[in-house]
Amino acid sequence: MGAQEMKFTFLNPTKLVFGHQSSSRLGEELKALGVKKALLVTDQNLRARTRIPETISAAAGDLLGGIFSEVIPDSGIEIVNRGAACAREHGCDGIISLGGGSSIDTAKGIAVLLTLGQADISPLLGFQTVRRPMIPHVSIPTTAGTGSEATFVAVFKNESLGKKVLLTDDHLHPQTAILDPGLTLALPPDITAGTGMDAASHAIEAIHSRRSNPVSDGLALQALRLISGSLSACVNDGQNLAARGNQLLASTLAGIAFSNALVGVVHALAHALGARFGVPHGVANAICLAPSMRYNLKAVAPRYALIAGALGISPENRSDTELAVKTIEWVEKLLSGLPIPRKLRDIPIPREALPLLAEDALTDTSIYTNPVKITDPAELEKILQEAW
Ligand code: NAD
């Protein structure tokens, strides 16, 4: 496409504070946003298994108004509503989110309810439903995968529908994201691997999306360069601080990229797998990534060839399609070295469930920006069969 035909908008209002021990700056960052009393939103496991919530509470100092630690993997609507009630009980005017995507998305939902003075997030699910500046939210990711610390989306599990539902708004980004690699050192190898593949999926989907643009391309390609050099290193040696830092940065860059370019079929399938079978989001993305790329190859070979360039795959005399195939092989090789399932049957997902998952994925909004238009669930079932 020539520059004269190109049209896009790009938004990233989140201030990034990166560096080892940068979370000690939490108090300053809250003060800069005018917060008087912040609610710390974190997850049960993080509180039970690590001392990270204590360290962050100490860094918030006098500005800590209360702690809400009921988050479980995959944010739920009831938990968001309870979190907002907790914030009100403690008179909080700002939010700190601490944890993976589940804690950050729960915190985003709580911030929406406090901003709008409402008690239930259910009627606010959907697109651009807030439409006004939000109360201050400082996000501190402790996984390196979702990029939620710098995205305009929150994902919630609707238990009664058995589906994941999205809330998006141009005001949903946390105002500040503190990226402290030391907080990810305790991540076990399987979560490191799954969340790392989530970041890789965000970057690749941002590149093949119908809404890709040159700014998100640049961020996504840099994220993939970092992931190719660091993800396996983090899995093999969790204490490798430099690799942890690269991976955390990659996750945020990929998050900003997909928050603008959006995603595609990989996420549509992963949301269905997460909602129906509780498959961790990164693992679901990891398994569906290469089969989905193979499906999309006919439409976006030059885009995958661009990734090959970023990964240092030699162009020699290869065509775009040959380079695209090399990129897909890179994804498969990366996955094969990680301590997570490579196939849906290894989870195990029953083969009979694939038609239902295909139906679910067809109604997921991520499908709209997939480069190949998909309107028939049988197409999705083909991808799932390959992933099975
Ligand atoms: P998570 O937040 O569900 O956490 C997974 C597990 O890792 C939890 O048990 C948690 O306690 C543990 N954990 C987190 N940090 C740890 C640490 N430093 N040390 C030890 N254990 C730690 O996992 P996630 O993959 O980060 O988030 C997944 C959720 O994010 C999904 O619901 C997904 O849909 C959502 N998501 C949101 C966005 C977005 O932009 N809003 C993007 C992608 C995914």
Side-chain angles (χ1 to χ4, degrees):
M1 185 193 297
Q4 70 279 18
E5 303 148 50
M6 191 189 297
K7 282 192 182 134
F8 68 92
T9 59
F10 184 90
L11 178 68
N12 174 42
T14 305
K15 172 181 178 184
L16 305 181
V17 179
F18 179 88
H20 186 42
Q21 296 182 340
S22 52
S23 54
S24 62
R25 279 184 47 180
L26 175 60
E28 265 171 71
E29 296 301 332
L30 289 169
K31 228 176 264 162
L33 291 167
V35 177
K36 304 256 172 338
K37 262 185 167 192
L39 182 76
L40 174 64
V41 177
T42 190
D43 79 69
Q44 288 177 359
N45 292 338
L46 201 65
R47 209 166 179 197
R49 294 183 195 151
T50 76
R51 294 197 45 79
I52 296 173
E54 279 89 335
T55 309
I56 297 302
S57 300
D62 295 349
L63 301 180
L64 185 70
I67 301 183
F68 179 75
S69 57
E70 290 184 33
V71 178
I72 52 171
D74 291 335
S75 323
I77 288 163
E78 286 308 316
I79 294 180
V80 171
N81 295 348
R82 284 207 296 278
C86 175
R88 290 200 175 100
E89 270 163 36
H90 289 92
C92 293
D93 60 353
I95 305 286
I96 305 159
S97 56
L98 176 71
S102 303
S103 296
I104 301 172
D105 287 4
T106 302
K108 285 176 172 174
I110 296 171
V112 167
L113 291 178
L114 295 188
T115 299
L116 298 179
Q118 297 189 24
D120 181 11
I121 198 74
S122 316
L124 294 161
L125 299 173
F127 298 94
Q128 307 291 352
T129 55
V130 185
R131 294 181 182 275
R132 72 183 76 164
M134 302 256 292
I135 67 156
H137 175 184
V138 176
S139 163
I140 309 178
T142 64
T143 64
T146 71
S148 179
E149 64 277 6
T151 71
F152 83 138
V153 54
V155 187
F156 302 106
K157 195 164 172 174
N158 183 330
E159 296 288 355
S160 52
L161 289 178
K163 290 196 72 172
K164 281 198 173 185
V165 280
L166 308 186
L167 193 170
T168 65
D169 192 279
D170 284 350
H171 298 96
L172 203 60
H173 311 73
Q175 284 82 343
T176 304
I178 300 183
L179 309 174
D180 183 343
L183 300 182
T184 65
L185 293 175
L187 268 179
D190 58 338
I191 302 181
T192 301
T195 50
M197 287 304 290
D198 191 17
S201 307
H202 291 154
I204 291 173
E205 290 235 273
I207 288 170
H208 72 194
S209 165
R210 284 169 179 269
R211 291 249 317 244
S212 66
N213 65 70
V215 185
S216 56
D217 281 357
L219 295 167
L221 291 171
Q222 178 61 4
L224 289 166
R225 274 187 208 106
L226 291 168
I227 291 167
S228 80
S230 297
L231 178 55
S232 301
C234 290
V235 170
N236 295 334
D237 174 11
Q239 296 303 307
N240 182 336
L241 191 62
R244 289 291 196 185
N246 285 341
Q247 202 52 39
L248 189 55
L249 200 51
S251 165
T252 306
L253 297 181
I256 299 171
F258 95 77
S259 188
N260 287 278
L262 307 182
V263 285
V265 65
V266 182
H267 275 75
L269 295 169
H271 289 153
L273 284 158
R276 290 278 176 194
F277 291 99
V279 183
H281 182 67
V283 173
N285 273 335
I287 296 174
C288 295
L289 184 56
S292 301
M293 290 173 77
R294 212 168 277 117
Y295 180 83
N296 282 331
L297 179 62
K298 52 188 175 288
V300 284
R303 307 291 295 157
Y304 294 159
L306 197 66
I307 299 176
L311 296 174
I313 296 169
S314 156
E316 290 172 9
N317 288 322
R318 293 180 174 122
S319 67
D320 279 351
T321 302
E322 286 164 335
L323 286 167
V325 169
K326 289 273 168 211
T327 301
I328 299 172
E329 285 168 4
W330 173 80
V331 169
E332 289 173 319
K333 186 157 178 267
L334 180 64
L335 180 58
S336 71
L338 298 177
I340 52 173
R342 287 164 66 185
K343 290 286 178 186
L344 294 177
R345 62 171 171 271
D346 301 333
I347 290 180
I349 301 295
R351 199 165 198 172
E352 311 76 70
L354 302 189
L356 174 69
L357 290 165
E359 291 284 352
D360 284 357
L362 195 64
T363 62
D364 189 282
T365 47
S366 305
I367 204 95
Y368 302 140
T369 37
N370 192 62
V372 177
K373 197 166 180 216
I374 303 178
T375 52
D376 181 354
E379 295 297 295
L380 293 169
E381 213 182 311
K382 276 190 218 159
I383 303 174
L384 285 166
Q385 289 290 357
E386 195 186 323
W388 193 84

